[in-house]
Amino acid sequence: MQVSSFLSAWRLRYHRYRNYVGSRRLTMGRAGGRPRDTSVDDAVLTTTIGLLTDRGYAGLRINDIAEMSKTAKTTIYRRWPTLTHLVVAAMKHALGERRFEASGETEADLDRLIEEGLGLLIDDRSALLAIALDIHRQDDTELRTAYRRSIIDPLRERAIAIVETAIERGELDERTQAGVVVDAVIGGLVYRSAILAEPLSLEQAKAFWRSVLDPVRHRSPHPPQTPE
């Protein structure tokens, strides 16, 4: 009886302990540990963009970022384990959150995509384009791939989906290649901004995509004119 009572008491204490540990893990998982200080993110990412603008990717050093942002290198590496992670995060931070939900209206959706996704080509943020081009000329496949997957591909894929939907609905010629059209729009905007150094307003960028799509639009036939 004494042994039985001892085992029963031990099991009770054990199960209580397990429940306590489980609840602690659940609470810690929800809270995610110590809250992340977003001011540190902002300081590091803003400093990174400033140094990329001044020195280019080849001149970017973690030591300089840490010193200028007043952030410990261990903190930087804990959040961004490589320079590639940091540079891509800095560009996403500079471009701002790019939320987009298709409405089903082709023109309205493409206009929204220009507004939300091509900020680096428009007005006073065009300096970011120089950073993007500098990233793509680096002999660093990992960097170029990470930048493309994180920054370019989401925008390009959404644009292709919009054009493909317009083709399916008969708004555009069925022979239209959605990827080619989207690349022509993006490439044309980049060329005007980076090569021709022509400042682009938001309205000019919207007008540009319309001019590219215009030759492949399906137009309603003109109604027959009645003789007078």
Side-chain angles (χ1 to χ4, degrees):
M1 290 293 293
Q2 289 180 348
V3 173
S4 176
S5 298
F6 171 79
L7 288 175
S8 297
W10 185 87
R11 288 192 188 99
L12 180 61
R13 290 179 64 185
Y14 172 70
H15 285 298
R16 284 176 178 172
Y17 174 75
R18 276 185 52 180
N19 291 337
Y20 169 76
V21 171
S23 65
R24 287 287 296 165
R25 285 176 177 169
L26 182 60
T27 303
M28 291 176 68
R30 287 173 179 169
R34 181 183 297 178
R36 182 159 171 160
D37 187 351
T38 57
S39 66
V40 172
D41 286 11
D42 186 64
V44 172
L45 298 176
T46 301
T47 298
T48 301
I49 289 296
L51 289 172
L52 284 169
T53 302
D54 294 341
R55 306 178 187 179
Y57 181 79
L60 193 63
R61 300 289 183 271
I62 291 291
N63 285 343
D64 296 334
I65 296 171
E67 181 181 351
M68 294 180 67
S69 66
K70 296 180 173 55
T71 305
K73 285 199 297 181
T74 52
T75 299
I76 295 175
Y77 279 121
R78 190 161 54 245
R79 299 182 185 211
W80 305 281
T82 68
L83 199 59
T84 291
H85 287 89
L86 177 55
V87 167
V88 172
M91 283 297 286
K92 290 181 71 172
H93 181 72
L95 289 168
E97 193 169 1
R98 301 190 292 178
R99 293 181 177 178
F100 177 79
E101 293 183 8
S103 67
E105 297 289 334
T106 302
E107 292 203 5
D109 286 343
L110 288 173
D111 280 347
R112 280 282 311 284
L113 205 58
I114 290 287
E115 293 169 3
E116 300 292 334
L118 292 178
L120 76 169
L121 300 173
I122 307 301
D123 299 328
D124 58 345
R125 288 200 291 175
S126 60
L128 294 175
L129 178 58
I131 298 176
L133 294 175
D134 181 48
I135 288 171
H136 280 286
R137 70 183 181 86
Q138 300 302 315
D139 187 20
D140 186 333
T141 303
E142 182 184 359
L143 172 65
R144 296 195 309 269
T145 301
Y147 182 88
R148 173 173 178 170
R149 287 177 177 171
S150 183
I151 306 293
I152 297 175
D153 285 352
L155 171 71
R156 183 174 181 270
E157 289 166 6
R158 287 182 189 128
I160 289 174
I162 293 170
V163 175
E164 286 177 340
T165 300
I167 295 170
E168 292 171 2
R169 289 198 297 237
E171 298 174 14
L172 302 176
D173 191 296
E174 62 183 10
R175 295 167 296 179
T176 302
Q177 298 181 52
V180 172
V181 169
V182 170
D183 289 343
V185 172
I186 296 174
L189 290 172
V190 170
Y191 177 78
R192 287 187 59 178
S193 183
I195 307 302
L196 300 182
E198 294 181 356
L200 276 171
S201 68
L202 192 58
E203 293 308 314
Q204 287 172 322
K206 291 177 181 180
F208 183 82
W209 79 249
R210 285 180 170 82
S211 68
V212 173
L213 282 183
D214 195 57
V216 295
R217 288 179 187 271
H218 274 158
R219 293 175 175 79
S220 299
H222 294 292
Q225 296 183 355
T226 55
E228 295 181 359

